[in-house]
Amino acid sequence: MTRSHSTPSVGIIGAGMSGMLMAIKLLQQGKRNFTIFERAKKVGGVWRENRYPGVACDVASFSYCYEFEPNTEWSRRFSGGAEIQAYFEGIAKKYQLDDYTQFETTVTAARFTDERWQIETSSGEQHNFDVLVDATGPLNEKFYPDIPGLENFQGTTLHTADWDDDYDLNGKRVGIIGSGSSGVQATWPIAQQATQLDVFIRTPQWVMPTPNTEYGPLAKQLKRKVPLLGWLTRKFYDWVGEQFGRAALADGWRRKLVAWACEHNLKQVKDAELREKLRPQEQAMCKRMIVSDSYYKALQQDNVSVERSAITQIEADGVRTADGELHPLDLLVLATGFRPNVWGVKDITGVDGAKLEDIWQDEGSRNYQSIAVPGLSNFFMLIGPNSPITNLSLIDIADIGVDYVLQCLDKIEAGEIKTMTPKKSAAEKFGSDLAGSFDDTIWVSGCSSWYFDGSTLPQTWPWAPSYYREKLKTPTLTDFHITS
Ligand code: N01
């Protein structure tokens, strides 16, 4: 027999895309018993933080928005970061999320005691919740490279995820370290303003040529008048995204097409010596696929030079490379990415004193289906480790995760369960299924990338995105220790 309970209280950590989605879907169900904790002053997460020149999303904008909040006003196929941030701020306003959010409040510790989460915040407060949702995302801690002398540089140093909006690039000598998505996106706009741009490339990556079509007034008006067009555009880009995802999973025509397109793109580089400097040794998509129609154009400008000689140290005036050359700089841009899976709350303790950091030491049973962690009760992660970050839009991943959490909340509210804790055996089963499924994927074809995060296997999803939907469609309660 089931008892009827009051709506369980939910603590949501992070007001980025996934935390907002969790909150909005709770509101859509008439559930207001939740609080969002956000360390910054505004919503937006990565789009609030990453404001470097050229920042954009490499998922088409029509796919990178909530399905229930389509946007007919996107200016481009891949809209810029400011536009995406404006979209999320608009959504936050529409759903009045500020009323539920404690801004400038970091959750410093979370402990599961007496069948509830007790959290402590940077403002010294304590709060209790039945359920905790970590929506802080896998890439929220900047990675600063361990290059000797970095602290001695007398010019300005800016990490791409900590940009100074007032910095004037005009007339400056700029150096950029890092040629992942951030570095590639930043290169073109910096090259248009700086007097000189030195691009330091340790590992060249393949670049997929993808035109960034502009949507004019007519296209926008059509989509406003005929919403079906926007929906169809979304479905089309979802399908395109899925093809890329599948190319990463197994060899076949998709992978060959990507390799051909990247090779063809490299041929844009007219100078044979420069072209060979930029030729990657790894397969396309082994690291995160890079999408750009401007990178190679920028690298061929007269004011841009590509440096493949290793950086030996950073000095007061600039960067010294192994060939002995000093590259004098006014600005050093660190496009060196993030420390992955450093989630927002450092100190999480579950049942029997189990600490998240200790649980994660055990590679074989780190997490349960990317959404939960053995030893942590009533705790869910959105876009958790091993979710399909490389083969599905993060919006879709968050959406699938939120729907999963909502079903768990329904069961708690119905009194069917009070606490649910993934069994270690279920996490181990997930871990061993993962371990046996990477062989054909591109990520293990011989490159290093942040996907590995120090593990022997990448923390990605080695199966089709549709399988993620299937796996998380409904919670399998037999995989959990349940109290009721
Ligand atoms: O970081 P990265 P990112 N000396 O880790 C280099 C998402 N994202 O910020 O390859 C010299 O990819 C490093 O070199 P190497 C997306 O998921 C999305 O660009 O290790 N170089 C590499 O070139 C992405 O995957 C968008 O040899 C050093 C670079 O720094 C993730 O964020 C846009 C070095 C780091 O590349 C991270 O991308 C931007 C050193 N000591 C980001 N240390 C979208 O469009 C590091 N490097 C959605």
Side-chain angles (χ1 to χ4, degrees):
M1 198 177 82
T2 57
R3 290 163 283 141
S4 179
H5 281 225
S6 57
T7 312
S9 56
V10 184
I12 303 171
I13 310 169
M17 174 275 285
S18 59
M20 286 175 60
L21 184 60
M22 184 75 240
I24 293 167
K25 286 209 164 182
L26 282 167
L27 289 173
Q28 286 173 338
Q29 292 194 348
K31 295 175 174 156
R32 294 164 187 280
N33 196 6
F34 68 89
T35 305
I36 311 176
F37 297 91
E38 169 53 56
R39 68 180 176 188
K41 289 181 183 166
K42 290 200 280 189
V43 301
V46 292
W47 303 108
R48 181 198 60 234
E49 302 282 298
N50 285 270
R51 298 180 318 281
Y52 58 84
V55 60
C57 186
D58 57 9
V59 172
S61 299
F62 275 92
S63 281
Y64 197 85
C65 52
Y66 301 136
E67 195 153 12
F68 56 88
E69 285 293 350
N71 179 18
T72 53
E73 307 307 305
W74 294 119
S75 64
R76 290 184 167 275
R77 179 176 174 192
F78 302 106
S79 300
E83 207 173 324
I84 300 170
Q85 174 65 10
Y87 168 82
F88 284 115
E89 286 184 21
I91 297 287
K93 198 167 171 197
K94 176 171 174 184
Y95 289 89
Q96 300 179 331
L97 295 186
D98 282 12
D99 294 351
Y100 302 88
T101 309
Q102 294 199 4
F103 288 103
E104 295 183 86
T105 307
T106 301
V107 175
T108 51
R111 271 178 202 83
F112 195 71
T113 16
D114 295 333
E115 300 194 318
R116 298 197 85 200
W117 281 99
Q118 186 181 78
I119 66 152
E120 289 167 19
T121 69
S122 51
S123 47
E125 290 177 5
Q126 279 196 353
H127 300 264
N128 293 301
F129 297 101
D130 297 308
V131 170
L132 198 57
V133 177
D134 192 334
T136 55
L139 295 179
N140 74 56
E141 188 162 297
K142 295 176 277 293
F143 172 69
Y144 285 88
D146 190 14
I147 303 174
L150 185 57
E151 65 288 355
N152 298 334
F153 181 54
Q154 294 294 301
T156 304
T157 305
L158 292 177
H159 192 287
T160 43
D162 194 16
W163 197 257
D164 174 359
D165 300 334
D166 296 327
Y167 190 88
D168 183 5
L169 289 158
N170 284 295
K172 301 290 185 350
R173 296 163 306 172
V174 181
I176 182 163
I177 301 178
S179 45
S181 307
S182 305
V184 166
Q185 287 181 344
T187 296
W188 170 264
I190 294 177
Q192 306 323 301
Q193 293 176 68
T195 307
Q196 169 66 27
L197 173 61
D198 293 340
V199 181
F200 299 94
I201 300 180
R202 184 165 70 178
T203 314
Q205 283 189 243
W206 290 106
V207 179
M208 182 79 187
T210 315
N212 195 2
T213 320
E214 199 169 342
Y215 297 126
L218 187 61
K220 289 181 190 173
Q221 200 181 7
L222 262 176
K223 291 199 177 93
R224 257 177 252 138
K225 289 222 158 98
V226 190
L228 179 67
L229 274 181
W231 183 84
L232 286 173
T233 311
R234 180 186 183 108
K235 292 295 158 198
F236 170 71
Y237 284 122
D238 285 354
W239 178 83
V240 172
E242 182 158 346
Q243 303 317 305
F244 274 107
R246 285 178 178 272
L249 297 178
D251 202 2
W253 66 268
R254 296 178 183 85
R255 196 178 284 182
K256 287 184 177 61
L257 191 63
V258 170
W260 174 83
C262 291
E263 177 68 48
H264 180 74
N265 195 29
L266 184 62
K267 287 190 181 136
Q268 265 198 51
V269 179
K270 301 280 177 290
D271 181 83
E273 198 183 325
L274 177 59
R275 194 163 60 235
E276 290 319 301
K277 267 185 172 180
L278 294 170
R279 179 177 295 283
Q281 300 304 310
E282 302 153 354
Q283 292 194 52
M285 292 186 306
C286 186
K287 292 174 187 274
R288 164 130 182 157
M289 186 73 226
I290 291 181
V291 163
S292 174
D293 64 346
S294 60
Y295 188 54
Y296 291 144
K297 272 193 261 173
L299 297 185
Q300 294 177 85
Q301 286 184 195
D302 290 342
N303 65 333
V304 177
S305 75
V306 173
E307 305 300 336
R308 288 294 316 277
S309 183
I311 297 170
T312 48
Q313 62 178 25
I314 294 173
E315 301 179 6
D317 294 331
V319 168
R320 178 84 62 187
T321 41
D323 54 11
E325 199 180 330
L326 176 71
H327 303 264
L329 302 174
D330 301 305
L331 170 66
L332 178 61
V333 177
L334 300 177
T336 47
F338 304 85
R339 286 190 189 283
N341 291 322
V342 180
W343 288 68
V345 188
K346 307 282 183 273
D347 181 5
I348 297 186
T349 312
V351 276
D352 303 330
K355 286 202 168 272
L356 180 60
E357 58 188 327
D358 296 332
I359 296 166
W360 276 4
Q361 292 299 318
D362 180 2
E363 197 174 327
S365 65
R366 263 187 197 148
N367 78 83
Y368 171 70
Q369 295 185 1
S370 85
I371 187 106
V373 180
L376 300 188
S377 313
N378 293 4
F379 176 82
F380 301 97
M381 304 181 89
L382 300 178
I383 319 179
N386 290 112
S387 53
I389 47 170
T390 52
N391 36 11
L392 189 61
S393 159
L394 296 201
I395 296 237
D396 288 337
I397 302 172
D399 201 38
I400 292 165
V402 166
D403 287 348
Y404 185 98
V405 177
L406 290 173
Q407 292 179 64
C408 297
L409 290 172
D410 284 346
K411 292 185 186 304
I412 296 174
E413 185 166 3
E416 283 174 46
I417 57 184
K418 184 154 193 197
T419 68
M420 52 191 298
T421 319
K423 291 177 183 166
K424 188 155 188 256
S425 56
E428 277 166 355
K429 166 88 173 65
F430 179 60
S432 68
D433 288 351
L434 279 170
S437 304
F438 278 104
D439 289 357
D440 294 336
T441 69
I442 197 86
W443 313 301
V444 295
S445 64
C447 67
S448 69
S449 74
W450 65 262
Y451 295 157
F452 283 85
D453 186 20
S455 307
T456 49
L457 289 172
Q459 296 195 31
T460 49
W461 182 261
W463 304 292
S466 53
Y467 188 52
Y468 191 67
R469 287 199 178 86
E470 191 185 313
K471 272 277 187 208
L472 269 66
K473 195 162 192 276
T474 43
T476 306
L477 292 187
T478 47
D479 283 348
F480 290 82
H481 298 291
I482 304 283
T483 65
S484 52

